[in-house]
Structures are given as structure tokens and as C-alpha cells.
Amino acid sequence: MGSMGRVKTALIGNHAVAYAVKMARVKFIAAYPITPQTIIVEKLAEMVEKGELEAEFVNVESEFAALSATMGAAMAGARAFTATSSHGLLYMYEMIWWAAGARVPFVMAVANRAIGPPWNIHTDHNDILTMRDSGWIISMAENVQETFDLIIQSYRIAEDQRVLLPVAVGLEGFILSHTAEYIELPDQWDVDSFLPSRDPDKPYRFKAGERYTVGGLGSDENYMMLKIAAEKAMINAEQVINEVDRDFGKIFGREYGGLVERYKVDDAKYLVISTGSWSGTIKQAVDILRDEGYPVGLLRLRFIRPFPSMDISKNISGVRGVIVFDRDISLGRGGIIASETQPYVGESSSFWGVVAGLGGVDVSSREFADVIKMFISEHESNGFSRRDLLFYMNGEVFEL
């Protein structure tokens, strides 16, 4: 059977995830609802009920059970999926580490939502960033099309024999999860060509009748050796992600740049760094500033783990200044992306770390442009500007 053609259609981000899971031929889904992720698993349940998706769909009693069941199915050789958000992700947290440590390849969507108090159902990035030390590969989508594409790409990354780690795909709650955009749904033939069936025996498979020990006490040396092996897998993932993105581009016509996307970076003297969907708004700010004569570019981090250290080092070399916008905060340390980027910024370059947009607080392209102009103005007036932690909200930039 050959290609039947591609379909252009309007989908919200949550439905794009569900269609990607279907086209990845996932065989096991465990689900527990939480806003704004619920629509993903509702759509998948509908697909299974109608016979459109041949998969086991298991309703569980909690997020802890959802991740445990998904991990178990993947250990039994199935291509598996689950989804969560915010406090649901925190309820999974113990199993987050066990899944990565067991080197189980599967995919989880995280509809990014703020963590209380107070209760807040709107977006920021703190939920998915709590996973950053656990051993999961972590990606962040900019729009609905990339959300779909990242789910497909993530199964190939997770199941690559050089990696064998679970992958989390972040999509910002309501901004992507509930917003409809026109996207291109590929032909199933093309997806099958890009994403072959999973080898159920890699890295290992639990089989009925065979004896296994799960969760047993290991020696201290074994513990450390497993961490070293996982770190090697994470290093390998950098190459695999770039390869997968290039191969994806050859088949589907969309290549994003691998670990990072470069937007008007080549001649930029000032570089903005961000991740997630508000990067699209920052691109508009870059366009505004370019029209006004400012040499600005954007480096969008598509992956947080593995952290794209080499890409950041290469792209910030020689720039006058770097400004990082964080939609998250590590209390006591500042923006997480800024903290991780700062070591790669040379001492002669200006640097601002700006925390904004927490809990869904909106930041417009004009506001981004104004903050970036303030940064450039301070550098060009004083020759140097270093502010590790600034906040921006409702037109005001301030330090504590």
C-alpha cells in the first residue's frame, strides 16, 4: 500500500496528541483525568471504543497507578502512553524516577499547568521541570503541529537502542492544549515508514512464566553503575534527537533544528533564549525589534533534557548579550533555564534572567520587545549589564 496523501485539519493540542498516539500504533494507554490534560485521554478512550485504535485502555485510580501501569506495559514489550499535568505529575513523582532508572522506553504528554498554592489551572513550566534530574528526556512544543510531531519523534527517540529512556512532551495548558490550529496530519504509511514497530525484547521483556525481580535491593556499586549508564544514554540522546529530526524532515518536510530552533540568529548581536509556546510570541517581538533596527535573534530550546549545552555555547559565542525568559522559578535560585544557561555566557557578555508569565499571566509580543529593548539599552549605555534574576509583570520590570 502506498501513500494516501496528507490531511490539513484544525485540531486542539490535546486532540493532536491523541491522533499522534493513534498513528504511532500505541498498544497500551493508562489514564487518569486532570485539567487541562483530560481531553487527551477522553479522545483516546473514544478511539479505542470505536475500534479506530487497537489498544488496551485502562482507567486507573490515580496518576501513580497510571504511570505504574504504563511502565509495566512497556516492560512487557508494548508501545505505551500516558498523560498528566501539574499536581497529577507530582503524584507520579516516585514512579518518574523508577521508570527512568528501569530504562523503559515510552512517552508521556504533560499539559503544562502551574503548581499550587493557590489553585491555578493555567500554564507555566514548573511541573515538567520538576522531572529534570530524574533521567527522562524532556521536550517542549511551540505549537499544535510540533506537539503532534514531537509525540511521533519521541517514540523513535525513546526506543533507539542507544537511548532507551522515557520521554515527556510538554504542551502549555490551554494555550496549546485547548487552542485549535490548522495542522497537517501525515499519511499512516509515512508514519509507519518513519516509526517501525517496537522491538519488544529491547531492552528486555517480562514474560509470563519467567522469573524476574523488580524493585529489589541492589548494591551501592550497582546503583552508581546504573546512573552512569543512564547518563551515557542521555549523552547519546543528543545525537539521536538530531538524527531523528533530520529523518523526520526528509519524510514530512518539517525539520525543527534538533535540540534547538534558531530564529534570526545568524547576524544577531543580542540573543533571546526561551522554551515552550510563548516562543512564538517572542518571535513576533524579534520581528518588531528587527523592523526597528535591533540585531536580535531567538534560540528556542526544544529539549530541556538532554540540556543543549553545545548548541547554546555555539550560538552565544560573540554576542553582546543574552536575555533568558523563564516561565518557571526555582525559589531561592531564580529562573531554571537562566540558571542552566548562565555558565555558558562569557564574562564580557551582558546577561539578564527574566521570570515572567507564571500561572498563565499573559505577556504580549510588544511587552517582550519592550523588555528586550531595556536590556539592550542598559548594555549600550553602560557597556555591560548583569542581572541574574528580574521579574516582569504588567508592564513593570523589577528586582527584589
Side-chain angles (χ1 to χ4, degrees):
M1 185 175 72
S3 175
M4 301 296 289
R6 298 169 183 178
V7 176
K8 204 73 163 160
T9 186
L11 288 178
I12 62 171
N14 280 347
H15 284 177
V17 171
Y19 276 95
V21 169
K22 175 188 172 186
M23 299 192 83
R25 299 191 186 277
V26 165
K27 296 300 181 188
F28 181 90
I29 301 155
Y32 191 82
I34 181 170
T35 301
Q37 167 273 138
T38 305
I39 300 171
I40 297 174
V41 291
E42 286 178 342
K43 187 66 176 176
L44 287 167
E46 178 185 318
M47 290 172 169
V48 173
E49 178 66 21
K50 290 181 176 178
E52 298 170 359
L53 171 58
E54 294 181 12
E56 290 291 330
F57 186 95
V58 180
N59 288 306
V60 292
E61 75 278 15
S62 70
E63 285 89 353
F64 185 96
L67 189 56
S68 301
T70 305
M71 176 179 165
M75 293 170 90
R79 182 169 284 166
F81 173 82
T82 190
T84 191
S85 179
S86 186
H87 291 258
L89 176 63
L90 301 189
Y91 198 11
M92 291 177 169
Y93 199 61
E94 181 181 353
M95 293 310 298
I96 291 285
W97 287 72
W98 279 94
R103 305 289 301 278
V104 188
F106 63 92
V107 176
M108 177 168 70
V110 180
N112 305 121
R113 172 184 142 187
I115 299 170
W119 286 111
N120 183 317
I121 61 169
H122 296 126
T123 197
D124 67 36
H125 302 159
N126 258 105
D127 58 355
I128 198 167
L129 290 177
T130 62
M131 303 171 68
R132 66 187 186 277
D133 298 329
S134 65
W136 281 62
I137 293 170
I138 301 171
S139 63
M140 290 289 291
E142 181 190 336
N143 50 45
V144 174
Q145 181 73 67
E146 190 178 25
T147 302
F148 178 95
D149 294 345
L150 271 172
I151 295 289
I152 301 291
Q153 289 189 5
S154 293
Y155 278 104
R156 227 182 87 172
I157 295 165
E159 295 168 9
D160 190 287
Q161 303 303 299
R162 295 165 288 178
V163 179
L164 297 171
L165 290 171
V167 180
V169 178
L171 65 156
E172 290 185 11
F174 296 103
I175 296 172
L176 292 187
S177 65
H178 287 61
T179 301
E181 296 176 7
Y182 273 103
I183 74 166
E184 182 181 87
L185 285 180
D187 183 82
Q188 185 66 59
W189 174 274
D190 290 335
V191 176
D192 292 342
S193 299
F194 174 78
L195 181 64
S197 300
R198 181 188 165 192
D199 183 341
D201 294 318
K202 301 292 177 60
Y204 49 81
R205 176 161 46 154
F206 286 4
K207 299 174 184 174
E210 295 185 6
R211 294 178 179 177
Y212 289 92
T213 297
V214 179
L217 185 66
S219 70
D220 296 349
E221 288 75 13
N222 278 342
Y223 176 91
M224 185 162 175
M225 287 300 295
L226 286 172
K227 295 298 181 187
I228 293 170
E231 174 66 12
K232 182 68 167 64
M234 194 65 79
I235 293 169
N236 292 343
E238 296 182 20
Q239 179 181 344
V240 172
I241 289 166
N242 288 325
E243 290 174 3
V244 166
D245 190 49
R246 282 195 295 272
D247 289 348
F248 191 89
K250 291 174 186 173
I251 295 178
F252 302 101
R254 290 182 297 279
E255 183 178 339
Y256 292 91
L259 290 156
V260 301
E261 180 194 8
R262 302 169 77 255
Y263 185 74
K264 300 188 177 180
V265 166
D266 287 344
D267 61 343
K269 302 301 180 189
Y270 296 94
L271 195 66
V272 184
I273 294 179
S274 70
T275 191
S277 70
W278 73 350
S279 302
T281 310
I282 297 174
K283 286 176 180 174
Q284 293 177 339
V286 168
D287 291 342
I288 291 170
L289 293 169
R290 285 279 177 167
D291 288 343
E292 296 177 8
Y294 292 94
V296 178
L298 169 69
L299 194 68
R300 177 174 70 91
L301 309 190
R302 297 183 67 234
F303 285 81
I304 308 301
R305 288 292 184 274
F307 193 69
S309 308
M310 292 294 291
D311 291 288
I312 291 173
S313 294
K314 186 167 57 180
N315 284 287
I316 67 176
S317 176
V319 299
R320 296 172 189 162
V322 177
I323 181 169
V324 180
F325 287 103
D326 268 284
R327 198 165 205 165
D328 58 76
I329 186 165
S330 174
L331 297 173
R333 185 66 180 89
I336 293 168
I337 305 299
S339 299
E340 298 205 342
T341 301
Q342 194 180 34
Y344 305 101
V345 179
E347 293 184 357
S348 61
S349 297
S350 289
F351 178 83
W352 278 17
V354 182
V355 172
L358 301 179
V361 172
D362 193 31
V363 185
S364 69
S365 56
R366 185 71 256 178
E367 290 173 294
F368 276 120
D370 289 343
V371 176
I372 296 165
K373 283 168 72 172
M374 290 174 62
F375 170 60
I376 294 172
S377 176
E378 186 161 293
H379 172 87
E380 296 193 348
S381 297
N382 303 331
F384 185 76
S385 179
R386 198 90 182 189
R387 298 171 185 265
D388 294 343
L389 176 57
L390 294 166
F391 292 90
Y392 174 81
M393 189 167 68
N394 298 336
E396 183 183 2
V397 177
F398 58 96
E399 291 181 288
L400 299 180

